[in-house]
Amino acid sequence: MSMYQFDRAAYEKRVAWFQEARFGMFIHWGLYAIPARGEWVRNIEEIDAETYDRYMEEFTARDYDPRQWARIAKEAGMRYVVLTAKHHDGFCLFDTATTDFKATNAPCRRDLVREFVEAVRAEGLKVGLYYSLLDWRHPDYPHYGDKFHPMRNNPAYSNESRDFNRYLDCMHTQVRELCTNYGRLDLLFFDFSYEDLRGEAWRGSQLADMVRKLQPGILLNNRLEVSGVGLGSLATEHPAPCHGDFVTPEQVIPPRGVVDEAGRPMVWEGCFTMNGNWGFHGTDRFFKPASMLIRKLVECVSKGGNMLLNVGPDRYGNIPEPSVEILREIGGWMRLNSESIYGCGRADLEKPDFGRVTQRGNKYYFHVFENTIGAIPISGLDREMVKRIRALSTGHEVRIVDHFTYANYPDVVFADLGPDPILPDQRDYVLEVEMREG
Ligand code: GLC
């Protein structure tokens, strides 16, 4: 294991699809959808296991239709989907030999992960699973005094008889089951490291090694080493064997993108809730509007990252209606403008004050969020090298204006959007600027 040699060429090949994809769906679903106060409800309300276990009796998954989920994702323009196979509460949506606390023992009697992976593949999307390293249900996981365990404040749950190695055996077995019984997985999202529980405390090298052997080409996130905070050892010159393949900022877009210690841009994926919770929440109606999420997707891409946008299906398995509506609207925009997203990344230009720029090869995509007075000023390009400008959504040609109004700014290319002072798409109107080669 000490022989681990990071292979950057192999790494870059492995992450290529992910950087092309740019947009994925996160799905948080489990027993916590029943109390419907978010997926940390056991922690926040310090609920004991016996009380929480009773939710299992109600878990019918009555409307669970992962084909529907996958279709919603696809129509939104998402290219991959990541489902919580197990969250911190320890409830497994998959069949496992390690515990009875699983979907196949609940009234639904279904292996929800199997149906999920098949449905997602059938829609031609990449398959990802989220797996919690924490397990608040396992008797050998630290209880009293742990930073997050629901029984952290209860001395009756002391840890004397707990054997963390036994927990690790179980956890490794569960990951092995996921990597063995469900066909090809494209991505595994571990969650998460904290305090001393990081890296080798999870037997991380062994775990990562097993996963990569069972699932050649799979992507791992960086949370065997860190959490939403921190980069992990991939940022250093000597990545550890359990290094992740991408950085996972959570509920924040890195203000300046993400670079490693040598200054190289890193692969990253920001994950975001649509309202204020990952798991279904009965009274959280504070959804981010589609127009905002479109711009935030663009912001991620313009900083070289992906967006993993979350939905929290209700107890029956329905994606909440506001989420469905928002995704439909994003999909409408993507159908006309996804060329400015897929395979695009940061541009070698300064951010314009009307919006943002993404780039792929010799094409720049100027995302106009804000009306300008008159033509759109495009800075940083050599006018002689501009081959053509098009409105991305319709493909119509956009002329460069030469009017005396603009004579004071000879180094700026002014793109003429015509007589209407209002942008044709106020959420984000995209201009494709194609440069001459060479
Ligand atoms: C956090 C939370 C968790 C959520 C995750 C998503 O780590 O613990 O509830 O699943 O973020 O990245």
Side-chain angles (χ1 to χ4, degrees):
M1 214 67 84
S2 58
M3 299 301 292
Y4 183 77
Q5 207 27 63
F6 175 65
D7 179 345
R8 186 165 290 278
Y11 169 70
E12 274 162 15
K13 248 179 94 183
R14 181 157 87 232
V15 293
W17 75 262
F18 188 67
Q19 292 196 281
E20 168 77 25
R22 289 303 184 209
F23 191 26
M25 175 183 273
F26 214 172
I27 305 179
H28 278 69
W29 195 40
L31 293 187
Y32 41 81
I34 297 172
R37 295 186 294 277
E39 78 292 347
W40 275 63
V41 63
R42 256 207 83 188
N43 159 289
I44 293 165
E45 300 177 17
E46 302 188 26
I47 300 171
D48 64 32
E50 295 66 42
T51 308
Y52 190 78
D53 275 8
R54 279 183 226 127
Y55 290 122
M56 195 168 129
E57 298 161 18
E58 296 180 58
F59 196 63
T60 61
R62 189 189 70 198
D63 301 332
Y64 179 51
D65 179 3
R67 277 305 280 269
Q68 187 64 18
W69 290 1
R71 254 178 249 128
I72 290 170
K74 189 174 185 171
E75 274 161 30
M78 292 158 154
R79 288 276 173 93
Y80 59 107
V81 189
V82 183
L83 169 69
T84 50
K86 178 187 94 171
H87 205 268
H88 308 332
D89 65 0
F91 183 72
C92 296
L93 298 191
F94 59 105
D95 196 13
T96 167
T98 60
T99 177
D100 291 335
F101 197 48
K102 57 181 177 181
T104 46
N105 269 359
C108 68
R109 303 249 157 224
R110 293 158 78 178
D111 185 327
L112 305 167
V113 169
R114 176 167 315 286
E115 294 181 39
F116 168 80
V117 298
E118 286 167 2
V120 171
R121 277 186 211 120
E123 289 297 322
L125 305 173
K126 298 276 189 191
V127 178
L129 295 177
Y130 164 110
Y131 179 82
S132 173
L133 299 168
L134 290 71
D135 192 321
W136 296 334
R137 176 64 158 45
H138 198 283
D140 289 308
Y141 200 87
H143 286 46
Y144 180 59
D146 176 69
K147 190 167 179 198
F148 301 115
H149 197 282
M151 298 298 103
R152 63 196 171 279
N153 297 317
N154 191 336
Y157 289 81
S158 87
N159 299 314
E160 267 143 58
S161 57
R162 305 188 199 283
D163 176 355
F164 193 63
N165 270 309
R166 235 169 11 206
Y167 171 64
L168 292 182
D169 291 342
C170 165
M171 188 263 269
H172 283 228
T173 300
Q174 292 184 345
V175 173
R176 175 184 294 278
E177 290 171 332
L178 289 173
C179 290
T180 310
N181 299 339
Y182 298 92
R184 188 195 150 98
L185 304 178
D186 300 295
L187 183 155
L188 204 49
F189 191 115
F190 287 116
D191 193 33
F192 58 92
S193 292
Y194 62 104
E195 301 194 310
D196 294 338
L197 289 178
R198 60 182 68 246
E200 292 319 306
W202 303 117
R203 290 193 219 134
S205 300
Q206 198 192 336
L207 189 64
D209 193 55
M210 174 183 80
V211 171
R212 293 198 194 276
K213 280 207 176 94
L214 291 171
Q215 292 283 343
I218 196 170
L219 298 189
L220 301 183
N221 74 344
N222 64 346
R223 294 195 184 178
L224 276 175
E225 298 186 306
V226 293
S227 65
V229 178
L231 303 182
S233 65
L234 187 62
T236 69
E237 282 312 299
H238 300 287
C242 62
H243 74 80
D245 299 314
F246 59 95
V247 180
T248 55
E250 174 176 327
Q251 304 286 43
V252 61
I253 299 179
R256 289 177 301 276
V258 183
V259 295
D260 68 14
E261 288 174 4
R264 277 183 297 248
M266 292 184 78
V267 178
W268 63 272
E269 174 199 68
C271 53
F272 313 101
T273 53
M274 283 175 101
N275 53 2
N277 285 272
W278 301 98
F280 181 73
H281 194 294
T283 59
D284 179 352
R285 292 169 284 101
F286 302 106
F287 286 87
K288 300 164 184 78
S291 55
M292 171 180 174
L293 291 168
I294 290 166
R295 292 172 178 197
K296 296 306 147 192
L297 169 62
V298 169
E299 180 175 348
C300 288
V301 176
S302 77
K303 292 174 174 176
N306 288 22
M307 175 189 262
L308 187 65
L309 186 58
N310 183 71
V311 297
D314 67 19
R315 65 193 298 172
Y316 304 118
N318 302 298
I319 298 179
E321 206 41 46
S323 299
V324 173
E325 280 295 310
I326 289 165
L327 290 170
R328 199 173 291 138
E329 186 177 340
I330 295 175
W333 182 88
M334 282 292 278
R335 262 186 288 289
L336 300 174
N337 296 290
S338 64
E339 268 177 72
S340 66
I341 300 293
Y342 300 139
C344 292
R346 55 203 300 151
D348 50 10
L349 291 177
E350 223 174 279
K351 176 195 173 310
D353 55 22
F354 56 74
R356 297 190 178 274
V357 199
T358 57
Q359 181 177 5
R360 190 182 57 246
N362 66 330
K363 286 178 178 165
Y364 292 102
Y365 296 96
F366 287 83
H367 298 261
V368 186
F369 299 162
E370 188 183 316
N371 288 287
T372 55
I373 296 279
I376 304 285
I378 294 176
S379 298
L381 298 184
D382 176 355
R383 176 167 172 171
E384 297 308 309
M385 295 302 287
V386 174
K387 190 169 166 190
R388 72 171 70 90
I389 306 181
R390 298 188 307 145
L392 187 59
S393 55
T394 59
H396 73 260
E397 198 173 278
V398 172
R399 286 187 320 148
I400 296 175
V401 259
D402 287 301
H403 188 269
F404 69 86
T405 311
Y406 305 110
N408 275 352
Y409 317 99
D411 58 332
V412 178
V413 173
F414 284 88
D416 182 10
L417 295 194
D420 187 346
I422 306 297
L423 285 172
D425 188 336
Q426 298 229 57
R427 300 164 303 185
D428 175 11
Y429 191 62
V430 187
L431 299 178
E432 180 194 84
V433 179
E434 187 177 347
M435 304 299 288
R436 291 179 206 288
E437 314 270 359

